[in-house]
Amino acid sequence: MRVVALNPKSITMGQLYGEFDENTHEWTDGVLACYMRECSEDTKPDKKWIMFDGPVDAVWIENMNTVLDDNKKLCLVSGEIIQLSASMTMMFEVEDLAVASPATVSRCGMVYMEPTALGLEPLLTSWLARLPPGGVAENSGKLGAIFNALVPDALRFLRKNLKETVTTVNNNLVASCFGLMDSLTKPFVRGEGEDPLTADEKVKLGGFLPSLMLFSIVWSLGASCDKAGRTLFDEWFRKHAAECGLPLEGAMFPGEGTVYDWVYDTDGTFAEGGAPGWVGWMATVPEFKCDPDRPFSEIIVPTADTVRYTYVVDKLVANQRHVLCVGETGTGKTLNVSNKLLNDMPPEVQPVFMTFSARTSANQTQDIIDAKMDKRRKGVFGPPAGKRVSGLVGWVDYGFAFMRCS
């Protein structure tokens, strides 16, 4: 199966379908034309999906009338006609239908479903089904019970009582919880050719998986609120965990401080007695010693905030997850992410830094990326030989720091 996705509203009509150059009168193919030509010429019997992810616009969708009716042909201004093959399907994941006409809705077969109508059960079922065997999947029942006992009520509490720095949706928060959980359990997943976990290791893993699940819930559902909201979430989370009916006493956060002040040490490196357990954030980093030869602007004094944010970013990046840091001005978003890219990445990784503003266009973004890459052949760009671009950071004045892993 092959899936290609594009957002038609993120580019111009010419970039979507193709256009003639006004000066040279040369034809340049658009993104959709290239995708459809590649899929139609592919003779493999595999299913090809062309996904339109984004809002519907009355202009670009009307130009697809011949594609969406019985003809199933894309007619370009250049005179080329691309026929959809039997294995090709066009799918629309629309943001809204505010400007879609009834004809557009009927042609595309669009069905709008409220996120609340979908619920969280499909997300949970899908995640539990893809848990890796050999230790983690064997505890799916335990993880599912914790999710059902805490997450739905946590989302209701979040929407009713807490204020978010950046507005989120429930499904995305749940996906973030699963992504963080996958990142935390990755060291215990054995690939093909590796020795499986022993019986004792499986027992140990089953013992601290509930703690990792609680940690993931806190740093996904409870991480998007402001400082005042974290105090309320801490109080609610402790009370609800005690009253949910599950035996979470041994897995719960310590009573001191808040749930944001603790991290679970699965190796026992920092916990007392060398056994796995909860430890404070500052116990996981060595004592800070200032380097007198280092420029003052490059000296970073670790605090509980920088340590815990760096920890979460490290875990997500190691599992090839994208990271979005949000917060008020001066909270260290750019500092933490840029320090990670510059000083704590594998040698084969080449970081790329980009600055965005409200007037940054798609063309400017593409030009900036192309300028930082090596041209391999016509129309093909990539990082230098032996390197890979694993971080793309963009920061603006609106409280974002984004890290894209590729």
Side-chain angles (χ1 to χ4, degrees), residues 295-311:
F296 180 77
S297 59
E298 297 180 5
I299 297 177
I300 301 177
V301 180
T303 64
D305 286 331
T306 61
V307 171
R308 57 190 173 191
Y309 297 148
T310 302
Y311 174 86

Side-chain angles (χ1 to χ4, degrees), residues 95-386:
E95 181 179 347
D96 57 62
L97 300 176
V99 297
S101 65
T104 297
V105 174
S106 63
R107 279 196 178 99
C108 299
M110 295 178 181
V111 178
Y112 179 74
M113 178 179 291
E114 290 282 355
T116 54
L118 177 64
L120 305 179
E121 191 64 30
L123 300 177
L124 175 62
T125 303
S126 176
W127 178 65
L128 294 177
R130 67 174 185 267
L131 287 176
V136 181
E138 288 73 6
N139 294 274
S140 59
K142 186 186 302 183
L143 298 178
I146 296 175
F147 179 93
N148 290 324
L150 298 177
V151 172
D153 293 331
L155 289 173
R156 284 190 285 269
F157 179 80
L158 169 65
R159 300 303 174 209
K160 185 177 180 180
N161 301 285
L162 305 184
K163 179 181 178 182
E164 293 183 301
T165 306
V166 175
T167 305
T168 61
V169 294
N170 291 353
N171 290 354
N172 193 25
L173 290 180
V174 172
S176 298
C177 175
F178 294 154
L180 182 55
M181 190 63 184
D182 290 339
S183 302
L184 294 174
T185 57
K186 186 177 180 179
F188 309 99
V189 177
R190 298 294 180 262
E192 189 174 341
E194 298 179 337
D195 294 333
L197 296 178
T198 63
D200 292 340
E201 289 174 331
K202 288 184 178 181
V203 172
K204 186 182 296 185
L205 175 63
F208 59 67
L209 274 179
S211 297
L212 296 184
M213 189 66 182
L214 296 179
F215 181 88
S216 300
I217 294 174
V218 168
W219 283 101
S220 54
L221 279 68
S224 61
C225 58
D226 56 14
K227 184 177 181 180
R230 289 192 173 188
T231 302
L232 297 176
F233 186 84
D234 169 70
E235 296 174 355
W236 176 90
F237 189 82
R238 292 181 181 277
K239 180 180 179 181
H240 193 74
E243 299 174 351
C244 69
L246 295 178
L248 298 177
E249 292 78 10
M252 192 57 187
F253 295 87
E256 298 81 11
T258 69
V259 292
Y260 300 94
D261 296 331
W262 303 94
V263 59
Y264 197 87
D265 180 17
T266 58
D267 298 329
T269 306
F270 309 103
E272 294 183 5
W278 294 102
V279 295
W281 286 107
M282 296 308 295
T284 63
V285 294
E287 182 180 354
F288 175 73
K289 294 182 180 180
C290 183
D291 185 358
D293 298 327
R294 195 170 188 179
F296 180 77
S297 59
E298 297 180 5
I299 297 177
I300 301 177
V301 180
T303 64
D305 286 331
T306 61
V307 171
R308 57 190 173 191
Y309 297 148
T310 302
Y311 174 86
V312 175
V313 169
D314 286 346
K315 293 298 183 181
L316 293 172
V317 170
N319 200 34
Q320 299 293 306
R321 295 279 179 173
H322 304 327
V323 183
L324 176 66
C325 301
V326 301
E328 302 296 335
T329 301
T331 52
K333 304 178 296 298
T334 301
L335 177 69
N336 287 328
V337 177
S338 59
N339 180 65
K340 168 67 178 175
L341 287 175
L342 290 173
N343 304 316
D344 192 21
M345 296 294 283
E348 69 273 8
V349 171
Q350 176 178 330
V352 174
F353 292 87
M354 297 180 64
T355 302
F356 292 93
S357 69
R359 297 187 62 84
T360 304
S361 65
N363 285 344
Q364 291 173 329
T365 304
Q366 188 66 53
D367 292 340
I368 295 173
I369 296 176
D370 291 345
K372 295 177 182 293
M373 298 291 157
D374 289 352
K375 187 174 183 179
R376 296 177 177 174
R377 60 181 184 273
K378 183 179 179 180
V380 178
F381 295 83

